[in-house]
Amino acid sequence: GLPNRVGSGEFCFQLLKSLFDLDKKNNYFIYLPIPPSSDLPKETSNWHYVVFSSKKLWTLISLSKKLFNNKNNLDVFFSPTHYSPFTFLCPSVVAILDVSYLHFPGMFSRRDLYQLKLWGRYSISKAKKIITISESSKSDIIKKYKVSSSEVAVVYPGIKKESRSMNHELSMDELRRKFGIKNKYILFVGTLQPRKNVEKLIEAFAKLKREDLDLVIIGKKGWMFDDILDTPKKFHIEPRVRFLHEVTDEELPPFYKNAVMFVLPSLYEGFGLPVLEAMKYGCPVITSDISSLPEAGGDAALYVDPNNVDDIASKMRKLLEDENLRKELIVKGKKQIEKFSWEKAAKETLAVLESL
């Protein structure tokens, strides 16, 4: 039903909405374990939801049984969330957004790692085509799973449209009142987990020694987050670091618009959509020079070595002091985001599906 969306769930949701708008020719059957959320497209003559529940292993067991019967006479099956069912009687396409679990296995629970590695390998081995979201991820998939380049298609994600559900946008004064932000601030947005490298960001922020500046960290608790939450105390800057775990999508835009800068020093990203989100709202970006992040940022971001705290601090200080650089990055960011849209992603996805 996609009621709570981050990562692959958000990718799936935006792709479904864009395919619905784009394609009125092909018939679609969307298999779900619970009824679709209210913001998914309504059923039409070519858009159908097939809802059925399961006590456990919905994809592996229940969906496999449903597809084995193939009562809907499917020509192709597409799994946009890393995992394919055990059996199906038509060609399949699977989306593998990243393989961070192979680069940083210690950052995953034993159960999740086992599932990602074993089930991921099976899904890839059965797929006629694999969709991923960056050239960096494509290179990783080819290298790690020994598949040919022609089997992997890169479909860059788009940028989320602003929600109309909020009557007005929060002002800086309202941000202060609601979230307790007192000073100008540097912004980070992302799930709290080790590969986001938030601990080094906090350490770099401490090196700035700016009493008039806060660090605002927006993101839900992922896994292995206790050390992240303890880091401000380690560097004696607890009052100037704000962890906000319950910010809605509607509340995010003013955080980007009012930030001094956005910093994403990740050790690995499948793509790095928050980079483009920040650029969309005129917020200058600092991000890592590795993985897929240079693909997202292009020439519109300032890049750092994510393993070098001094480099992160130095680039933040540079952006704080160089107003011309700030303005240049903002202008370039507006041009960079024009390269990405969910409509384009849907067209490229449809081309892959129709090729089988």
Side-chain angles (χ1 to χ4, degrees):
L2 297 173
N4 301 305
R5 296 183 287 266
V6 294
S8 60
E10 178 67 16
F11 176 81
C12 179
F13 172 71
Q14 296 293 345
L15 204 52
L16 281 174
K17 286 208 309 178
S18 299
L19 284 168
F20 175 84
D21 292 337
L22 172 70
D23 186 13
K24 305 303 181 184
K25 179 183 68 173
N26 293 295
N27 283 312
Y28 289 82
F29 295 89
I30 296 88
Y31 296 91
L32 298 171
I34 60 174
S37 56
S38 60
D39 50 357
L40 277 168
K42 305 304 179 188
E43 286 194 297
T44 65
S45 58
N46 78 318
W47 190 268
H48 315 276
Y49 293 105
V50 183
V51 181
F52 56 98
S53 61
S54 172
K55 291 183 179 178
K56 59 180 180 179
L57 298 176
W58 182 85
T59 302
L60 194 62
I61 298 175
S62 297
L63 182 57
S64 293
K65 289 179 180 177
K66 186 73 72 171
L67 292 176
F68 186 75
N69 293 329
N70 199 19
K71 291 180 180 178
N72 296 315
N73 296 314
L74 304 180
D75 296 305
V76 60
F77 175 78
F78 174 40
S79 171
T81 55
H82 196 90
Y83 302 120
S84 289
F86 188 64
T87 58
F88 36 83
L89 299 178
C90 61
S92 73
V93 177
V94 63
I96 304 291
L97 304 191
D98 69 64
V99 289
S100 55
Y101 53 93
L102 296 179
H103 289 277
F104 303 100
M107 295 181 179
F108 292 81
S109 70
R110 183 178 298 179
R111 180 180 179 276
D112 286 346
L113 182 62
Y114 180 78
Q115 181 172 301
L116 284 161
K117 289 175 73 173
L118 189 67
W119 201 349
R121 180 176 292 280
Y122 176 80
S123 299
I124 288 171
S125 70
K126 291 295 182 180
K128 291 290 185 184
K129 285 277 189 178
I130 300 153
I131 287 175
T132 193
I133 55 176
S134 68
E135 292 292 341
S136 173
S137 290
K138 176 177 179 175
S139 176
D140 285 342
I141 291 166
I142 291 170
K143 196 179 302 178
K144 301 290 185 180
Y145 290 102
K146 312 300 180 188
V147 297
S148 68
S149 178
S150 62
E151 292 177 73
V152 187
V154 174
V155 174
Y156 286 121
I159 305 170
K160 190 162 41 182
K161 293 179 181 177
E162 290 186 60
S163 170
R164 297 176 183 173
S165 64
M166 204 169 182
N167 293 326
H168 78 284
E169 192 173 281
L170 295 177
S171 67
M172 191 62 208
D173 285 339
E174 287 171 311
L175 286 180
R176 287 192 180 101
R177 284 197 298 270
K178 184 168 184 176
F179 296 102
I181 299 167
K182 299 174 183 177
N183 300 315
K184 292 181 178 180
Y185 61 91
I186 292 170
L187 179 66
F188 167 91
V189 177
T191 304
L192 298 189
Q193 55 174 286
R195 72 177 171 90
K196 297 294 184 178
N197 208 27
V198 181
E199 289 177 62
K200 281 193 169 60
L201 170 60
I202 295 169
E203 183 180 353
F205 174 74
K207 285 178 174 288
L208 296 179
K209 296 184 177 6
R210 290 280 298 262
E211 296 296 326
D212 61 337
L213 193 65
D214 289 346
L215 175 62
V216 174
I217 296 171
I218 295 176
K220 295 188 181 299
K221 296 175 183 177
W223 52 91
M224 298 172 68
F225 53 81
D226 288 335
D227 287 345
I228 297 171
L229 298 177
D230 290 341
T231 303
K233 185 177 181 180
K234 180 180 176 182
F235 295 101
H236 313 292
I237 54 171
E238 302 105 302
R240 292 192 292 117
V241 179
R242 301 285 302 169
F243 288 102
L244 304 177
H245 305 302
E246 300 299 331
V247 176
T248 66
D249 285 349
E250 290 78 18
E251 291 167 332
L252 262 179
F255 277 99
Y256 283 120
K257 290 180 180 179
N258 288 290
V260 175
M261 68 184 78
F262 172 76
V263 186
L264 183 68
S266 293
L267 300 171
Y268 183 93
E269 290 286 343
F271 182 67
L273 268 177
V275 166
L276 297 178
E277 291 284 340
M279 291 177 180
K280 173 183 174 182
Y281 294 112
C283 182
V285 172
I286 294 175
T287 192
S288 302
D289 61 1
I290 58 175
S291 175
S292 63
L293 289 161
E295 293 178 61
D299 67 349
L302 206 57
Y303 293 99
V304 296
D305 175 356
N307 294 300
N308 187 328
V309 172
D310 289 332
D311 189 30
I312 299 170
S314 173
K315 296 292 169 52
M316 289 197 294
R317 190 175 292 111
K318 181 178 178 66
L319 200 48
L320 285 168
E321 296 172 354
D322 192 336
E323 186 60 28
N324 288 332
L325 177 60
R326 278 179 51 80
K327 291 177 179 176
E328 179 186 338
L329 290 179
I330 290 170
V331 170
K332 287 182 174 179
K334 294 293 185 182
K335 292 181 179 177
Q336 178 68 5
I337 64 172
E338 293 174 1
K339 300 175 184 177
F340 306 94
S341 76
W342 283 110
E343 180 184 5
K344 182 181 178 186
K347 286 179 180 177
E348 292 172 352
T349 300
L350 182 58
V352 172
L353 298 177
E354 290 186 329
S355 71
L356 298 176

